[in-house]
Amino acid sequence: MATVNGATLMARSLKQQGVDYIFGIVGFPVQGFAADAQKAGITYVGMRNEQAASYAAHAAGYLTGRPQGCLTVSGPGVIHAFAGLANAKQNCWPMILIGGASPVYQNGMGGFQEERQVELAAPYCKYAHAIEHVHRIPYYVNQAVRHSLYGRPGPVYLDFPDDIIRGECSEEEVVNVAKVPEPPRTMADPAAVEAALSALESAERPLVVVGKGMAWARAEDEVREFIERTQLPFLNSPMGKGTMPDDSPLSVGAARSTALREADLVLLLGARLNWIMHFGQPPRFHKDVRVIQLDIEPTEIGANVPAEVGLVGDGKAVVGQLNRALDNRQWFYPSVTPWRELLKGKADANMAAVQPMIDDDSAPTNYYRAFKDVVEWLPHDAIIIGEGANTMDIGRTQMPNRAPRHRLDAGTYGTMGVGLGFAIAAAVTNPDKPVVSVQGDSAFGFSGMELETMTRYNLPVKLIVLNNGGIGGGLHPVPEGRAAPPGNLTYGARYEAMLEALGGKGFYVEDPKDLRAALDGAMAVDGPALVNVALNPRAGRKPQQFGWLTT
Ligand code: ADP
Ligand code: MG
């Protein structure tokens, strides 16, 4: 009678469920399993730290629309990957963490790297379970993938003990399961759809906020039709960027603060009123703002601010409902209103305020001057990764996105260090697209060793490090007799030379006049390239009325 072992059955089950990529690090007890995954047709990417691997896995999940895998050794390996689980949970992105585990028959005995992995993973997951029989592996993989994908997406955990990996069962015993179909596209109550449109018609200063939930839902065609037909002013959230093109004339991204503060009605499409949206509360929002909310997660409706209308359902399906309901109405938001004029005036003023910095050619450069060359050089279809405090915030305002799911950043959790893992995921899952990562020197450092991964797989990632020698900028030189500030990093550190040493191509730019040539040189390279740009440590953002995320 034919038998199958746990490793082979796990590989087969993952492939059956559309897990096409696994990012991980091998060791006890999973070394053989990674090779079995390759045999089953899964692309395995061997990384240098489980943290970066776990970041790569959920970025790959967001980009492909199915949970992708992260594989770790037992104990410390699993713990390192919790960083990615937590980040995925906050971002509402799918992933499946497969944690090697010490053998079940040693439970409680103090086995090698023994840890209560399922228990510890649970708070960061939608679903966490140990596999206790070889023949039930397909059952658990089906469960895990379904939980990850359905409803609000998120991470899941499977504990994969050594004796299950090596254990065998007969093929007849194997539990048969179906492939988890695409998530059901649930629709909203038709009465709520009408109520939402009536509310919009009654608003004087309406605003649509497009979040990354819509990018995840692949709702771009519906959202574009809706905005086009209603002519409503809109704002993309940081990773919602590109769902509506940033260069649309209806975008009020350049007047973000004013748009949020003065809107009398906000239609939230797959975006939460959390810290990124300033909780929907004064002083960043109008105290009487009316809120209409579309979300797949019912408990999100009314969070932080009561919602006048809740549209619970899948973003693509529900915006489709809104569009169909528009057929019976002759309404669109007029082209000339005081609201549009206010927003236009503010956007123009904001752009004028940064122009002197864009035009400032002094060396070392400021952020805006550096981004000027980056923007002119960026291919329109690039997947852009941004992280670092000022680097990410200014980059978000300066680098436009024209397509959905082409912007990855620190996200809902504000995680620094995701960049290299995200860039690897983008390059592996989108081999036909340019991948550009713009990071601060601090953000870069968290996972800098992943340069070796990029070089080993010859991934054509173009990395730009805006290097101001510190976390939020360093103090250089440090005055005699004074301790260096806690956020200081080495000013002028040659990060590009690290990549050169590993076999990639590096460029160091001290004067902005040399930046464009370096960027062109990087793009001409077949594999990874890093452009290390010395930044004036005192360069910052234009003065802000409020703290984070203001333009
Ligand atoms: P952003 O950071 O872009 O504002 P958030 O992560 O705060 O976005 O919010 C995204 C929201 O999208 C979450 O509340 C999530 O439940 C929701 N969401 C996820 N998938 C879908 C979907 N298919 N349809 C509609 N909403 C979704
Ligand atoms: Mg820095």
Side-chain angles (χ1 to χ4, degrees), residues 17-93:
Q17 296 298 347
V19 178
D20 292 324
Y21 303 92
I22 293 179
F23 304 85
I25 297 185
V26 292
F28 175 81
V30 296
Q31 57 276 67
F33 166 64
D36 287 326
Q38 287 178 318
K39 275 184 226 140
I42 295 172
T43 300
Y44 179 79
V45 181
M47 298 189 55
R48 302 307 303 270
N49 183 303
E50 291 94 352
Q51 197 178 341
S54 66
Y55 295 150
H58 65 270
Y62 174 65
L63 294 172
T64 61
R66 296 290 289 192
Q68 303 299 339
C70 175
L71 177 70
T72 72
V73 302
S74 43
V78 174
I79 302 280
H80 291 170
F82 286 170
L85 282 190
N87 201 58
K89 182 129 189 266
Q90 293 281 332
N91 275 346
C92 312
W93 288 358

Side-chain angles (χ1 to χ4, degrees), residues 280-296:
Q281 293 175 0
R284 306 299 302 272
F285 279 71
H286 198 278
K287 68 176 183 10
D288 298 321
V289 68
R290 299 160 67 196
V291 173
I292 305 173
Q293 235 176 321
L294 184 164
D295 206 291
I296 201 159

Side-chain angles (χ1 to χ4, degrees), residues 47-272:
M47 298 189 55
R48 302 307 303 270
N49 183 303
E50 291 94 352
Q51 197 178 341
S54 66
Y55 295 150
H58 65 270
Y62 174 65
L63 294 172
T64 61
R66 296 290 289 192
Q68 303 299 339
C70 175
L71 177 70
T72 72
V73 302
S74 43
V78 174
I79 302 280
H80 291 170
F82 286 170
L85 282 190
N87 201 58
K89 182 129 189 266
Q90 293 281 332
N91 275 346
C92 312
W93 288 358
M95 73 173 273
I96 175 164
L97 175 61
I98 300 148
S102 49
V104 175
Y105 59 80
Q106 288 176 356
N107 275 354
M109 296 173 70
F112 173 68
Q113 298 185 335
E114 183 183 352
E115 185 50 272
R116 296 159 302 150
Q117 297 170 180
V118 177
E119 210 178 319
L120 296 178
Y124 307 117
C125 287
K126 286 182 74 182
Y127 172 93
H129 219 291
I131 299 172
E132 79 293 66
H133 294 292
V134 175
H135 68 277
R136 299 193 72 212
I137 287 173
Y139 170 83
Y140 282 118
V141 174
N142 171 293
Q143 281 246 319
V145 167
R146 194 149 32 81
H147 278 267
S148 186
L149 207 49
Y150 282 14
R152 172 184 273 175
V156 294
Y157 176 71
L158 284 180
D159 212 45
F160 199 25
D162 174 54
D163 46 343
I164 301 292
I165 295 173
R166 291 186 294 105
E168 295 194 342
C169 72
S170 75
E171 288 280 10
E172 274 106 277
E173 265 183 289
V174 171
V175 174
N176 265 317
V177 296
K179 178 175 181 180
V180 174
E182 291 300 298
R185 295 213 177 260
T186 46
M187 304 239 238
D189 176 357
V193 170
E194 291 299 331
L197 291 179
S198 296
L200 277 167
E201 286 188 26
S202 72
E204 268 175 43
R205 301 183 306 280
L207 176 68
V208 181
V209 173
V210 184
K212 64 180 178 290
M214 302 309 280
W216 161 256
R218 274 69 184 161
E220 53 270 14
D221 290 347
E222 289 75 9
V223 173
R224 288 173 185 208
E225 182 185 337
F226 179 74
I227 298 287
E228 195 58 38
R229 288 176 67 178
T230 59
Q231 290 289 302
L232 286 164
F234 76 90
L235 196 64
N236 285 320
S237 79
M239 282 199 271
K241 270 168 77 75
T243 307
M244 279 298 296
D246 279 330
D247 52 6
S248 157
L250 294 169
S251 167
V252 295
R256 183 180 190 274
S257 289
T258 306
L260 294 180
R261 193 180 59 236
E262 303 296 334
D264 66 348
L265 185 144
V266 173
L267 169 61
L268 282 175
L269 301 178
R272 284 170 286 181

Side-chain angles (χ1 to χ4, degrees), residues 235-238 241 246-247 251-257 347 350-351 354-355 357-358 367-369 371-372 375 378 384 386 389-401 407 409 540-542 544 547-551:
L235 196 64
N236 285 320
S237 79
K241 270 168 77 75
D246 279 330
D247 52 6
S251 167
V252 295
R256 183 180 190 274
S257 289
N350 281 341
M351 287 194 295
V354 298
Q355 198 58 46
M357 287 189 277
I358 295 175
Y367 286 100
Y368 293 89
R369 171 62 185 83
F371 275 116
K372 176 182 145 194
V375 170
L378 255 184
I384 304 170
N390 279 330
T391 304
M392 181 171 76
D393 293 347
I394 299 171
R396 181 182 293 129
T397 67
Q398 303 297 301
M399 293 186 289
N401 279 89
R407 169 71 60 123
D409 71 18
R541 304 185 62 185
K542 81 177 169 63
Q544 304 292 312
W548 191 78
L549 252 180
T550 320
T551 57

Side-chain angles (χ1 to χ4, degrees), residues 405-417:
R405 300 172 297 282
H406 281 60
R407 169 71 60 123
L408 304 170
D409 71 18
T412 308
Y413 215 18
T415 308
M416 290 298 141

Side-chain angles (χ1 to χ4, degrees), residues 193-544:
V193 170
E194 291 299 331
L197 291 179
S198 296
L200 277 167
E201 286 188 26
S202 72
E204 268 175 43
R205 301 183 306 280
L207 176 68
V208 181
V209 173
V210 184
K212 64 180 178 290
M214 302 309 280
W216 161 256
R218 274 69 184 161
E220 53 270 14
D221 290 347
E222 289 75 9
V223 173
R224 288 173 185 208
E225 182 185 337
F226 179 74
I227 298 287
E228 195 58 38
R229 288 176 67 178
T230 59
Q231 290 289 302
L232 286 164
F234 76 90
L235 196 64
N236 285 320
S237 79
M239 282 199 271
K241 270 168 77 75
T243 307
M244 279 298 296
D246 279 330
D247 52 6
S248 157
L250 294 169
S251 167
V252 295
R256 183 180 190 274
S257 289
T258 306
L260 294 180
R261 193 180 59 236
E262 303 296 334
D264 66 348
L265 185 144
V266 173
L267 169 61
L268 282 175
L269 301 178
R272 284 170 286 181
L273 290 178
N274 57 14
W275 67 283
I276 292 186
M277 287 297 158
H278 320 287
F279 313 108
Q281 293 175 0
R284 306 299 302 272
F285 279 71
H286 198 278
K287 68 176 183 10
D288 298 321
V289 68
R290 299 160 67 196
V291 173
I292 305 173
Q293 235 176 321
L294 184 164
D295 206 291
I296 201 159
E297 172 55 52
T299 58
E300 195 58 44
I301 306 296
N304 294 331
V305 178
E308 185 173 311
V309 183
L311 297 166
V312 178
D314 170 70
K316 189 177 175 69
V318 177
V319 182
Q321 284 182 285
L322 287 169
N323 288 336
R324 282 191 297 282
L326 278 174
D327 291 345
N328 304 321
R329 298 179 183 239
Q330 295 308 312
W331 178 80
F332 59 89
Y333 186 68
S335 60
V336 182
T337 68
W339 178 226
R340 282 207 208 277
E341 271 164 51
L342 174 71
L343 294 171
K344 176 81 173 68
K346 188 62 192 172
D348 291 347
N350 281 341
M351 287 194 295
V354 298
Q355 198 58 46
M357 287 189 277
I358 295 175
D359 294 337
D360 177 0
D361 288 330
S362 53
T365 187
N366 73 68
Y367 286 100
Y368 293 89
R369 171 62 185 83
F371 275 116
K372 176 182 145 194
D373 280 7
V374 172
V375 170
E376 285 171 7
W377 159 87
L378 255 184
H380 278 199
D381 61 341
I383 299 180
I384 304 170
I385 291 123
E387 63 167 341
N390 279 330
T391 304
M392 181 171 76
D393 293 347
I394 299 171
R396 181 182 293 129
T397 67
Q398 303 297 301
M399 293 186 289
N401 279 89
R402 295 166 178 92
R405 300 172 297 282
H406 281 60
R407 169 71 60 123
L408 304 170
D409 71 18
T412 308
Y413 215 18
T415 308
M416 290 298 141
V418 290
L420 296 193
F422 281 7
I424 288 169
V428 169
T429 58
N430 286 273
D432 52 333
K433 293 248 167 80
V435 177
V436 173
S437 156
V438 190
Q439 295 171 286
D441 53 333
S442 155
F444 167 77
F446 284 85
S447 298
M449 200 59 208
E450 299 303 334
L451 290 183
E452 192 276 329
T453 309
M454 289 182 184
T455 313
R456 190 162 18 96
Y457 291 100
N458 200 36
L459 300 176
V461 176
K462 310 307 167 195
L463 299 144
I464 300 163
V465 177
L466 298 186
N467 189 348
N468 62 4
I471 301 170
L475 177 66
H476 302 285
V478 179
E480 275 280 317
R482 192 179 148 182
N488 252 30
L489 299 169
T490 306
Y491 188 60
R494 303 297 293 266
Y495 299 115
E496 85 292 351
M498 285 173 61
L499 182 58
E500 292 256 340
L502 293 164
K505 183 85 184 121
F507 301 83
Y508 186 55
V509 176
E510 289 183 293
D511 188 311
K513 74 175 169 28
D514 303 321
L515 178 54
R516 181 56 199 254
L519 292 169
D520 288 336
M523 198 54 89
V525 175
D526 178 33
L530 192 155
V531 180
N532 183 10
V533 185
L535 206 71
N536 185 335
R538 281 176 300 282
R541 304 185 62 185
K542 81 177 169 63
Q544 304 292 312

